Every structure is written in C-alpha cells, then in structure tokens.
Amino acid sequence: MIQWLADFFGSMGATGLVIWTMIKIVLITLPLPLCVAFLTLAERRVIGAMQSRCGPIRVGPNGILQPFADVLKMLFKEAVVPARANRMLFRFAPFLALVPAVAAWGTMPFSENLWLADLNAGLLYIMMMCSIGVYGIILAGWASNSRYALLGSLRSTAQLISYELAMGFALVGVILLTNTLNLGDIVRNQTGGFLHWHLWPLFPLFVVYFISGIAETNRHPFDMAEGESELVAGFHVEYSGITFALFFLAEYMNMILLSALAATLFLGGWMAPHPIFNQLPLLGDGFLWLALKVAGLLFIFLWVRASFPRYRYDQIMRLGWKIFIPLTLVWIVVVAVAVRWSALFGGGA
Amino acid sequence: MSFSAFLFYVLAVILLASAVRVVSARQPVHAALSLVLAFFTMAALWITLGAEFLGLALVVIYVGAVMVLFLFVLMMLDVRQTDQSPRWRLHLVPALVVGAVMLAEIVLLIVNGTRTKTESLETSASMENTRELGELLFEDYLYSLELVAVLLLVGMIAAIVLTHRQSRFAKRQEPAEQNAVRRDDRLRIVSMQAETETEDDTVHSSEKREH
C-alpha cells in the first residue's frame, strides 16, 4: 500500500512530492510521543518489578492510562518563569532540546523502502542532530539564572562532549566495515541472518556505543547532570509543567533514537534474525523486527537504571577518556587491518 | 525564480542578519548563539550547493563541539553586558582596515575563481560527495594531511603542557591507589573480651542521669 501511495503522489509532480513528504513526516513524528508515553509506563512497571513492587497500576487496566494522566497533570500546571531569568532563552531552550531529537529521525530507515530521506550521509546527519541537542541543556541551565541549573548544565555538557568522542569512534568502526555512510546500505550489508550482524566483528564498539548512549542521554548511572542529592534536578530545576515535559520528551526520544540507531548499525536493522523467517507470513524482514530490537535495547536501558548506583563525576570522566576512547581507537585499527586483509576475517564482515 | 534560488536568498538573509548580530550583540552569550545560527545557516547553504559532507561536518565540529566549549567558557566567566560606547571608536579604524582587506580578498577570489570553479561544483553535486572528498584527502593529499595532523597534535600537546605546568600544588586522585586500598589499610579489628555491665557501672550511669 505504501508503494501505491508513493506512486499516487509521485504522479502529481512537485506538489504531490511535498504532500507525500509531509504525510511521511507526520507518520514518523506522531507515534514518537506515544512511544515515549508507553516507555515511561514500561520503565515504571519494569523497575517496579525488579524492585519487588507494583509500579503504577491504578489508572486504567493495569495502569495503562497512567502516562495520559501524567500528561494531563503536566498540561494543567503553571509554567513558571523565574524572576531575573533570561525570558526568551528560557522559553526557547526546551524546543532546542526537542527539535533535534525529532529531526534526527529524518534519515532513519524503518524498513527496506520506508523512510523519509535516503541521504548518502545519513549517519553523519544523525550524528549532527545528536550533537546539537546539547544546546537545549546549556541554555536551559544558563537562562534559568540558578546555580543548581548552571552546575547541572555544565556537568552535562562536559559529559556529552566526552562521550560523543567515544561514540563517534564507535561509528567509525561501522563505517570502516561497510564502506558507506548510508544507513540503508549499512543494514543491507548485514543481510543473511544474525551471524552476519555487525554485532560480532564490532562487539567492543557496540558495548562502547551503547554505554556512551546511556551517558549521552544523561540516564542512570551517568545522570550526574540531575543528581538529586546535590543539584535538586540539574539543568531543568526551574522548569515546571509543560516546559519540563518537553525536556522529558526529548530525553526519552533520544533514548529511542539511540536504540534504533544501535539496532540499525549493529543488530541488522529491519532484517529478521534468520532468513528462514522470510518464508513465514508477517514475520519476514520489516518494521516488526526493528521495533522488537529497539524494544529489547530500551529494556536494557531500564535494566541498567534499576541495577547500578550513580557514578562519581571523576569516574565518569575517567571511563570516557581513559577507557572508552583508547579501546575504540585500538579496535578501529583492528577492524581496519581486518578489512584490508579480509581473508583473516571470516564470519560477520 | 527557482526554489533553490529562493532558498539561497532566504538563507543568505538569515546568515547576514545573524553575522551582524554576532558583532552587535551586547550580551556575549547572545553573540555566541548568533554565531551558532550563522554556522548552521552556512551549513544549510553548503548543502544546497551539493557539499553535504562539508555542511554536516561544519555543524558537527563547530556547532556541536567548538561553540559548546565557547559557551561553556562564557558561562563560567560570568561576563555581564559589555558597555561598548567608549571603546567603540578605538576599535573602529583597525576593524575597518581588516574588513577592507578581507573584502578585497573575497572579491579577488570571486572574480578570478568563478569561471574555473563552476564546472567542478556541478560535477561534485551529482557524485557522492563524501567518498570523493575522502579519496582526495587520503589518496592524493595523504602526506599534507598527515603533516596537518602532526601539527595539530603538537598544538594539543603544547596546550596540555602549558596548562599543567603549575600543577605541583594541585591535588589529584590516583585511581590505581584508590583501587589498591584493602580493608586492612583502613580498619583494624581488635579481639578483646566482651564488655559486660557490672554493678558499679549501673550505679555510675544512674548517678549521671540524676545530675
């Protein structure tokens, strides 16, 4: 049906193309907040189960309506602007955090022919969007005119910059292996079952990428930026109601984005784990498998949050600079040598 | 006017406006943010010209890293609004001279360069930009690239050495030592007779309570 719609709008010329692109944008951006809503519910239920308690179960059957209750509560709360804050930047900062988190989905391939833009430098585009999300955090901290917020945003910025390097190097490994920046080609390079996924030849890079992803999204155990015990809530301490909800939305969207990117780069994206699934109805290569992989990775995000205590700040920096970056650099050399003499490298590549 | 031309003019207007704002803003943070906008618009312009790699790299490096550090420093320094009025005239003449030289250079470049450069621009727009650039850098100009890299490395080492010169008095943690600490270094367990409450003790404590 998608192909039929694409042909229909394609036949209308330039206007049709614009309408079709708009429809695709809406189809990508509308489900995202819904995913975030149920991700928060899943987070509370999963962590609840891990800590032997129920989590939210009162609103709707099994607590399924809890996120909507939360959203309504947020909407009806007053959005306070602190006195002597920089009003314009204070209002602008949540959008600067949210917009890159949404815009990054522009080049994400959902299945063989389902995406917004088939950009040749798609991976670079997503990296770019991830790297400008930090402005929302910096400006929120500075514009609030509060010490807690400023300290939180400084910590978060330093952390983001440090882990972005490790993350970038992890992506370099993928680029070396696939010889392309096009996300669709990267997935197609992993055709033929789970033994061909990049996960195996690039396992250390996958681990570094995922841990850096947790650090990039300021999640446990790297959430120094909002360490409640010392900074109240970090960079968004002065935000209330819907303005806080926007930061929250951006953080969770980034979590989903990083999981989707990890699934695309290392776990074969929309590919089924074995070619045999293509013989079965509905279980062949497609969006279903990407969704399952993303859900699995998101579960690890929640699992980590329930399991680990928070790092000390110097430990975070040491992990990023002295362990991850050297590790990725060494593995990049290994991958480069292996690609050059690919006979040495069986399996995955 | 085609759509790309329209896009060019819109982006150019935003670029110029933000560039003017960089030098005219009184609040240093505002100036830095305007510079971010200028970089971003510049990247968009480059992408419309078909130089997608350059555009994206500009945003990743300058907007995503360099300007973040700039803002970092500006916020740490807590610079308040600078009063420009008295110093403005002092800087006017050198600023005009530098501006004039830069303008002359750009005009010369445009006058001499347009006829030869347009061809290569059009061909590169149709080809895979990133791959082409990579091949140029890492095959044709490999040695010059290596030289530049070594130069940057030297600069980096120099910066680190300069900032760490006076660190004799600085306190720092040695993670290896921290990890090497065992229980016996910090804690001594003494075996002794269990303390039992004798009659004297109870009398003493009850006396104390009365006082």
Side-chain angles (χ1 to χ4, degrees):
Chain A
M1 197 190 81
I2 290 158
Q3 197 52 48
W4 180 80
L5 273 176
D7 289 341
F8 173 71
F9 285 109
S11 64
M12 284 163 66
T15 7
L17 191 69
V18 170
I19 295 172
W20 176 230
T21 311
M22 288 295 173
I23 291 176
K24 281 201 284 192
I25 291 174
V26 170
L27 281 180
I28 292 171
T29 48
L30 269 193
L32 268 180
L34 268 181
C35 291
V36 170
F38 287 109
L39 178 58
T40 61
L41 179 66
E43 175 171 29
R44 293 166 73 178
R45 291 304 301 273
V46 165
I47 294 178
M50 284 175 181
Q51 295 168 348
S52 298
R53 54 190 174 83
C54 290
I57 50 167
R58 297 286 175 196
V59 191
N62 265 325
I64 201 101
L65 295 177
Q66 182 68 40
F68 300 100
D70 289 340
V71 169
L72 278 181
K73 187 188 79 177
M74 295 277 196
L75 278 174
F76 285 111
K77 274 192 172 180
E78 186 188 359
V80 186
V81 181
R84 300 191 59 206
N86 189 323
R87 293 185 84 85
M88 191 191 76
L89 287 182
F90 187 80
R91 293 243 168 88
F92 193 48
F95 295 101
L96 269 182
L98 185 64
V99 168
V102 181
W105 290 87
T107 57
M108 185 65 74
F110 295 101
S111 79
E112 181 66 43
N113 46 16
L114 196 64
W115 47 14
L116 181 63
D118 186 4
L119 212 64
N120 269 335
L123 186 56
L124 205 61
Y125 170 83
I126 291 186
M127 272 178 76
M128 167 190 120
M129 282 302 167
C130 287
S131 71
I132 58 178
V134 66
Y135 278 96
I137 293 172
I138 305 185
L139 290 181
W142 184 76
S144 302
N145 194 24
S146 148
R147 282 178 183 77
Y148 293 123
L150 185 64
L151 279 174
S153 76
L154 288 180
R155 279 183 179 187
S156 158
T157 314
Q159 186 178 325
L160 272 170
I161 291 180
S162 327
Y163 278 89
E164 215 164 63
L165 286 173
M167 209 169 174
F169 280 132
L171 299 185
V172 167
V174 178
I175 298 167
L176 271 177
L177 204 59
T178 55
N179 205 11
T180 177
L181 279 169
N182 185 315
L183 286 166
D185 289 342
I186 289 175
V187 174
R188 271 177 224 111
N189 198 42
Q190 309 176 59
T191 324
F194 70 97
L195 283 177
H196 292 256
W197 289 353
H198 291 155
L199 176 66
W200 310 117
L202 299 178
F203 190 73
L205 294 186
F206 173 70
V207 173
V208 168
Y209 171 84
F210 198 73
I211 298 177
S212 307
I214 298 176
E216 285 257 299
T217 44
N218 283 327
R219 298 280 303 174
H220 261 272
F222 301 101
D223 61 342
M224 292 305 299
E226 39 187 286
E228 301 92 341
S229 47
E230 42 213 81
L231 293 180
V232 190
F235 64 90
H236 56 60
V237 68
E238 301 291 346
Y239 284 85
S240 59
I242 196 68
T243 49
F244 164 73
L246 290 178
F247 278 116
F248 196 75
L249 207 59
E251 180 186 325
Y252 278 75
M253 276 187 192
N254 274 327
M255 266 169 72
I256 303 178
L257 177 77
L258 284 164
S259 306
L261 199 59
T264 307
L265 296 178
F266 297 100
L267 301 175
W270 68 78
M271 301 282 182
H274 197 276
I276 223 166
F277 283 100
N278 285 324
Q279 315 292 329
L280 303 170
L282 294 175
L283 282 179
D285 297 343
F287 178 65
L288 175 76
W289 287 108
L290 181 70
L292 281 177
K293 286 164 188 170
V294 170
L297 289 171
L298 284 172
F299 178 76
I300 299 179
F301 264 99
L302 308 183
W303 191 5
V304 165
R305 179 173 173 190
S307 315
F308 287 102
R310 185 179 289 145
Y311 272 119
R312 215 169 55 203
Y313 197 70
D314 65 306
Q315 289 172 329
I316 291 184
M317 284 300 158
R318 200 158 59 88
L319 183 71
W321 288 98
K322 293 196 176 170
I323 300 177
F324 279 180
I325 292 179
L327 182 73
T328 45
L329 278 175
V330 168
W331 202 255
I332 283 173
V333 174
V334 172
V335 171
V337 170
V339 167
R340 195 78 182 84
W341 288 283
S342 48
L344 287 175
F345 223 75
Chain B
M1 192 163 68
S2 69
F3 182 65
S4 54
F6 172 73
L7 212 58
F8 172 79
Y9 284 113
V10 171
L11 290 174
V13 167
I14 298 174
L15 178 62
L16 286 178
S18 54
V20 168
R21 187 94 180 102
V22 173
V23 279
S24 68
R26 297 192 140 219
Q27 176 75 260
V29 172
H30 287 179
L33 287 175
S34 308
L35 192 56
V36 169
L37 181 62
F39 278 137
F40 210 79
T41 326
M42 197 67 216
L45 263 179
W46 285 355
I47 291 172
T48 57
L49 285 175
E52 56 187 30
F53 179 79
L54 280 182
L56 293 175
L58 179 77
V59 175
V60 170
I61 295 164
Y62 281 90
V63 178
V66 174
M67 288 313 293
V68 170
L69 288 177
F70 253 73
L71 275 175
F72 207 101
V73 173
L74 282 178
M75 287 172 185
M76 297 279 257
L77 289 178
D78 193 29
V79 257
R80 291 288 160 207
Q81 305 203 344
T82 50
D83 46 336
Q84 292 175 321
S85 34
R87 292 207 184 155
W88 193 75
R89 273 159 214 274
L90 267 174
H91 294 301
L92 184 64
V93 177
L96 277 179
V97 170
V98 172
V101 170
M102 282 168 75
L103 190 69
E105 282 173 355
I106 291 172
V107 167
L108 269 175
L109 205 68
I110 291 172
V111 168
N112 288 333
T114 35
R115 251 167 267 113
T116 49
K117 289 284 186 261
T118 37
E119 264 177 73
S120 61
L121 252 184
E122 270 163 24
T123 48
S124 71
S126 60
M127 286 177 69
E128 211 180 323
N129 201 279
T130 317
R131 185 179 301 276
E132 211 183 344
L133 198 71
E135 274 165 12
L136 264 181
L137 278 180
F138 291 101
E139 277 167 21
D140 298 358
Y141 296 102
L142 181 63
Y143 292 116
S144 12
L145 187 82
E146 293 287 320
L147 273 177
V148 171
V150 169
L151 205 65
L152 278 175
L153 187 68
V154 169
M156 200 168 83
I157 292 171
I160 292 171
V161 167
L162 282 178
T163 45
H164 273 252
R165 212 166 33 168
Q166 302 148 331
S167 67
R168 247 183 312 147
F169 306 107
K171 291 175 181 168
R172 52 174 66 164
Q173 291 171 324
E174 290 294 336
E177 279 177 27
Q178 286 180 331
N179 286 333
V181 168
R182 288 288 160 266
R183 189 191 62 182
D184 298 339
D185 303 340
R186 298 275 163 88
L187 185 76
R188 191 165 55 92
I189 297 177
V190 187
S191 75
M192 56 182 282
Q193 216 68 42
E195 295 241 349
T196 47
E197 219 170 349
T198 56
E199 226 168 87
D200 281 2
D201 282 342
T202 41
V203 172
H204 268 291
S205 55
S206 57
E207 271 175 5
K208 269 178 194 164
R209 238 171 265 141
E210 277 163 23
H211 280 295

